[in-house]
Amino acid sequence: MPIQYYITLAACLFCIGIVGVLVRRNAIIIFMCIELMLNAVNLLLVAFSKMYHGAAFAHDATSTTGIDGQLFVFFIMVVAAAEVSVGLAVIVMMYRNVHSVDVNFLNRLKN
């Protein structure tokens, strides 16, 4: 499959995530949109990793070039899992205190 398909799909997913973060007011949906953007980046990293690993493997069968993208994906997934656990804890505490997950309510905390 050509790399352009992966790039197009990742760009669409990333744009949907950006629109969701900018438009929606529900904190849980904002987290889901952030995850969508992270997964778009993961898709690109895996696609480029596969493309470069295939090219390097054609020249040298023992080459490990192109594996770096897959390692980055693993670390992004770990960071995303940590981010979700902390973020959901914050949202649960916010819901317990104000009975809402609307992020506009957080503007009141400035004063």
Side-chain angles (χ1 to χ4, degrees), residues 13-88:
L13 290 175
F14 197 82
C15 289
I16 291 170
I18 286 176
V19 169
V21 167
L22 294 177
V23 172
R24 300 302 299 246
R25 295 171 194 242
N26 189 334
I28 294 173
I29 293 180
I30 290 173
F31 267 127
M32 290 172 41
C33 291
I34 290 171
E35 291 295 320
L36 195 62
M37 289 190 292
L38 288 174
N39 284 326
V41 172
N42 285 341
L43 178 66
L44 275 182
L45 285 172
V46 169
F48 282 118
S49 173
K50 182 183 176 206
M51 184 178 76
Y52 287 120
H53 180 65
F57 189 74
H59 294 290
D60 183 13
T62 60
S63 175
T64 58
T65 304
I67 303 296
D68 299 338
Q70 295 173 5
L71 290 174
F72 281 130
V73 168
F74 177 72
F75 286 117
I76 288 173
M77 289 171 70
V78 169
V79 169
E83 172 247 335
V84 166
S85 63
V86 172
L88 286 178

